[in-house]
Amino acid sequence: MEIIDGKALSEKIKDDIKLEVDTLRDDYKQVPHLAAVLVGDNPASKAYVRNKVRSCEKVGFESTLIQKDSTITEEELLDIVRDLNENDDVDGFIVQLPLPKHIDEHKITLAIDPEKDVDGFHPVNFGKMTQGLDSFLPATPLGILKMLESYKIETEGKNCVVVGRSNIVGTPMSILLSRKAYPGNATVTITHSRTRDLRAILKTADIVIAAIGIPNFISGDMLKEGCVVIDVGINRVDDETRLKGYRLVGDVEFDSAKEVASYITPVPGGVGPMTVTALLLNTLKSTKKKLNLTE
Ligand code: NAD
């Protein structure tokens, strides 16, 4: 069994990004600029955004954090999005989800200029992805593709079971793994809360992508010998022995799954850091596109 070290891989990719940023600064007097909009004080969202801003600094990007109280109106937030769309200094931006209930997330996503939508959530980017056209891929699935690629994990003809059908992870992941490319060409089954006999379906899986949001939901006895396990879940569980009073666990029970799997991602240190790095890759791509430097 090999652990897929998302933390180490993301550091390596960030080193490569930094080199490209140095070249852009030297040759074009420009560095990528990512802006993040954070609404309210959800602790997980705050931690994610902090992480994204810190990663920008690490690779030499410019970053802007726009923080707003949860009382902000939908129209005020739309104004911020429009300003960012029009700001030529900003190459890409994200509006951290979830948003307060009185704000329509779809409306906000639709208002983002697809050319700056580095989260890859806008239907224009989603549609392009579905048709195999060049686009910003959603950050978490892009990070997972990079992991599969880097560990040279064969996907062609493999049975892949994606658990969870969210727009940001499960659904795009299932599309990307079934496309005619590497990583891809897999036979994909997408499962969800209404799936019957998930256990039997999982037993057929050469590759499992778990994006459910239920701690330790999938245990080793549900998996096929030698399968590849990609655990997207980030769940807080109470832990009195930790200073913070909690620890993070995935959707897969790591200790039992690692006895069965050929490759497995840990939580933390697996998909999480790769998601942030994928966001940086998309922002770099946006800057290069602006400078007509895309391959
Ligand atoms: P979501 O809540 O939008 O969707 C959860 C999915 O799980 C749904 O499609 C639902 O049908 C499915 N599901 C629920 N119960 C199920 C069951 N009993 N059997 C099968 N499927 C079931 O989730 P999301 O936004 O995709 O996030 C999933 C998890 O991944 C969460 O823990 C989230 O924190 C984490 N996440 C991590 C990253 C990262 O960077 N590592 C990024 C995004 C999300």
Side-chain angles (χ1 to χ4, degrees):
M1 187 275 308
E2 194 173 342
I3 290 182
I4 300 179
D5 189 341
K7 193 159 185 272
L9 178 59
S10 72
E11 290 307 318
K12 188 179 163 293
I13 297 174
K14 278 193 258 186
D15 286 344
D16 294 342
I17 295 175
K18 195 171 181 318
L19 288 177
E20 286 210 55
V21 173
D22 290 343
T23 309
L24 289 175
R25 189 188 298 108
D26 291 347
D27 295 354
Y28 296 91
K29 312 283 170 254
Q30 292 229 16
V31 295
H33 182 178
L34 175 72
V37 184
L38 174 63
V39 179
D41 52 10
N42 176 324
S45 295
K46 273 170 122 170
Y48 293 146
V49 170
R50 234 191 346 256
N51 226 329
K52 288 166 188 174
V53 171
R54 207 181 299 136
S55 297
C56 280
E57 285 162 9
K58 232 178 144 189
V59 297
F61 283 13
E62 196 178 325
S63 64
T64 300
L65 174 58
I66 300 170
Q67 261 178 296
K68 293 289 165 190
D69 209 78
S70 59
T71 53
I72 188 172
T73 65
E74 188 175 271
E75 201 44 48
E76 284 167 338
L77 187 56
L78 284 168
D79 277 341
I80 292 174
V81 168
R82 289 184 200 112
D83 284 349
L84 289 168
N85 284 342
E86 282 161 23
N87 184 343
D88 289 338
D89 287 340
V90 173
D91 299 311
F93 66 97
I94 60 154
V95 178
Q96 184 67 42
L97 303 179
L99 292 169
K101 287 205 164 41
H102 64 278
I103 299 177
D104 181 346
E105 286 185 358
H106 291 292
K107 217 168 170 177
I108 302 299
T109 303
L110 274 174
I112 297 174
D113 178 352
E115 297 290 319
K116 293 190 177 188
D117 168 42
V118 285
D119 251 340
F121 294 166
H122 193 285
V124 165
N125 282 313
F126 207 91
K128 285 183 173 174
M129 171 192 72
T130 305
Q131 297 191 352
L133 300 171
D134 184 51
S135 64
F136 291 120
L137 297 181
T140 300
L142 174 58
I144 293 172
L145 293 183
K146 294 281 172 198
M147 287 201 283
L148 295 171
E149 210 176 350
S150 169
Y151 279 78
K152 299 188 170 54
I153 291 169
E154 186 56 84
T155 55
E156 184 169 323
K158 300 290 181 186
N159 287 336
C160 176
V161 174
V162 178
V163 192
R165 58 179 161 188
S166 72
N167 285 337
I168 62 168
V169 190
T171 296
M173 203 63 242
S174 69
I175 292 165
L176 290 165
L177 283 170
S178 58
R179 72 193 172 147
K180 198 171 178 179
Y182 176 76
N185 280 322
T187 304
V188 180
T189 306
I190 182 157
T191 64
H192 44 76
S193 53
R194 310 290 172 93
T195 295
R196 287 195 194 144
D197 207 355
L198 178 65
R199 196 172 263 271
I201 297 170
L202 278 173
K203 276 286 178 191
T204 68
D206 303 307
I207 301 171
V208 176
I209 313 281
I212 314 152
I214 305 177
N216 301 320
F217 182 74
I218 297 172
S219 50
D221 61 310
M222 297 163 82
L223 299 168
K224 177 172 143 181
E225 191 71 37
C227 67
V228 174
V229 178
I230 307 291
D231 189 355
V232 184
I234 302 179
N235 309 291
R236 287 184 180 195
V237 295
D238 293 342
D239 187 342
E240 296 303 325
T241 67
R242 302 290 174 100
L243 219 67
K244 290 177 175 166
Y246 69 87
R247 73 193 145 88
L248 297 180
V249 299
D251 290 343
V252 178
E253 192 184 77
F254 186 80
D255 286 339
S256 60
K258 78 173 181 346
E259 300 303 323
V260 187
S262 56
Y263 290 90
I264 186 166
T265 62
V267 178
V271 177
M274 288 302 294
T275 296
V276 179
T277 300
L279 183 68
L280 300 178
L281 283 171
N282 276 344
T283 308
L284 177 66
K285 179 181 169 127
S286 178
T287 308
K288 286 166 82 176
K289 225 169 150 186
K290 187 171 85 180
L291 297 169
N292 287 320
L293 294 173
T294 33
E295 322 64 58

